[in-house]
Amino acid sequence: MKKHLSVFLLSARYALWPALIAGALGAAAAYFALSRAAAASGFSSELFDSAGIVVNAGAVVLGVLLMIPLRERGGVQPGYTLRRLRVSELAAFLWQALAGAMAYFIFLMCVAAVCLFYGLHLQSQGLGEAGDMSVLVAMIVSPTAHALLPLGDWPVYIRMAAVLYTLGAAAAYSGFVSRRGRLAVSPFILLALCWIGQGLEAQVGEYLYELLATVVCGVALLIMIISVRSHQQDEALPLSEPYGDGLGQG
C-alpha cells in the first residue's frame, strides 16, 4: 500500500500547482465577470450564469496544465519512476486520475467561493429579487452555480464526481500515451465534449441528464482503463536506465 500512496502523493503534489494557478485565475476572472454582470443588470437570478464561461474555459486550461507533468520530455522518464516503485501503469493511472479530479475540485471551489461571497455581498446591500433569499434562489436557478453548489440535489453530486474523475483520468491518460511516444487526442475530445455537453452545469430536476452524463463518463473511463490494461507492458524500460526526478517532472 505504501508504494501506491507514494504514487498518489507524487501525483497530487504536481497536480497542486496547476490547480492553484487555475483556481486563482478562475477566481479573478469570475469576480470580473460577476462585477460586469451586476453593473449591467443588478443582482438578478441569472447573475451567476456569467461565470459559466470562466468555469468551462478554466477547465480546459487546467486540463492542459495537468497533462504536462506526466509527459516524457527532455530525457526525463516518468515511466521509469513507476517501474522503480513497482506500481502497475493501471494503478498509477487510477491514482493520477484521482489527483487530477481533486485539482478540478479545487478550481471549481475557488470559483464557487467567489460566486457565493459576491452574491452575499450584493444581498447585504439590499440587492436581489428575493430579499434575504436572493443568493439561495440564484444558486438554484443558475445552471452554473447549481453545478458548483448543488445544495441538497444529490444526483448532481454523483454526476459531478463522475465528470471530475473522468476529466482527471483524461489528463492521466494523456501522460500514459505520451510515455509510449504518442499524442492522445481523446483527452481533448473529452474536454470539448464536457464544454459542449454542459458537463459543468446542472439544471434542477433534470435527472435523466444526470444519469446519461454519468453513464457517458463511466463508458469513457472504462475505455481508458481497457486501453491502459492492454498496453501497460508496451515499451517497458529496464530498471538500469537513467531516470528523472519524479512523475511531476516528466
Side-chain angles (χ1 to χ4, degrees):
M1 187 61 191
K2 183 178 180 180
K3 58 186 179 182
H4 290 275
L5 182 61
S6 297
V7 172
F8 170 71
L9 291 178
L10 195 56
S11 300
R13 171 180 150 197
Y14 287 103
L16 178 62
W17 281 112
L20 294 179
I21 292 172
L25 293 177
Y31 178 78
F32 177 74
L34 293 173
S35 298
R36 291 194 61 182
S41 57
F43 188 7
S44 66
S45 57
E46 292 81 23
L47 173 67
F48 297 134
D49 290 344
S50 60
I53 183 64
V54 176
V55 170
N56 285 303
V60 173
V61 171
L62 178 55
V64 173
L65 290 176
L66 289 174
M67 293 178 193
I68 295 175
L70 299 176
R71 300 181 68 84
E72 298 279 356
R73 295 180 300 133
V76 179
Q77 300 170 350
Y80 178 86
T81 306
L82 296 179
R83 279 174 282 281
R84 183 166 60 90
L85 291 171
R86 304 297 185 183
V87 174
S88 70
E89 283 278 13
L90 178 59
F93 166 76
L94 295 175
W95 286 120
Q96 291 161 12
L98 179 59
M102 292 174 62
Y104 275 102
F105 179 77
I106 291 173
F107 160 69
L108 292 181
M109 288 304 98
C110 288
V111 177
V114 171
C115 290
L116 176 60
F117 287 108
Y118 190 76
L120 289 173
H121 168 68
L122 295 179
Q123 181 176 283
S124 68
Q125 294 182 332
L127 302 176
E129 300 174 343
D132 292 340
M133 300 291 289
S134 295
V135 172
L136 180 61
V137 171
M139 284 286 178
I140 295 175
V141 171
S142 170
T144 297
H146 191 58
L148 297 177
L149 296 172
L151 301 177
D153 203 349
W154 63 266
V156 178
Y157 286 101
I158 296 175
R159 192 261 297 175
M160 286 296 292
V163 169
L164 297 190
Y165 193 84
T166 302
L167 292 177
Y173 185 73
S174 176
F176 169 80
V177 173
S178 172
R179 292 195 290 275
R180 277 144 183 80
R182 299 190 298 272
L183 175 65
V185 178
S186 53
F188 297 98
I189 295 176
L190 286 174
L191 285 170
L193 182 62
C194 180
W195 190 324
I196 297 172
Q198 300 178 335
L200 296 177
E201 297 181 9
Q203 298 279 358
V204 177
E206 293 291 338
Y207 298 137
L208 178 59
Y209 172 80
E210 305 301 334
L211 177 61
L212 291 176
T214 303
V215 170
V216 169
C217 289
V219 171
L221 182 60
L222 179 61
I223 292 173
M224 286 186 282
I225 289 175
I226 292 174
S227 177
V228 172
R229 281 179 61 89
S230 62
H231 296 93
Q232 63 182 350
Q233 299 301 323
D234 293 352
E235 301 178 13
L237 296 175
L239 291 177
S240 59
E241 290 189 10
Y243 59 93
D245 56 353
L247 287 173
Q249 298 297 317

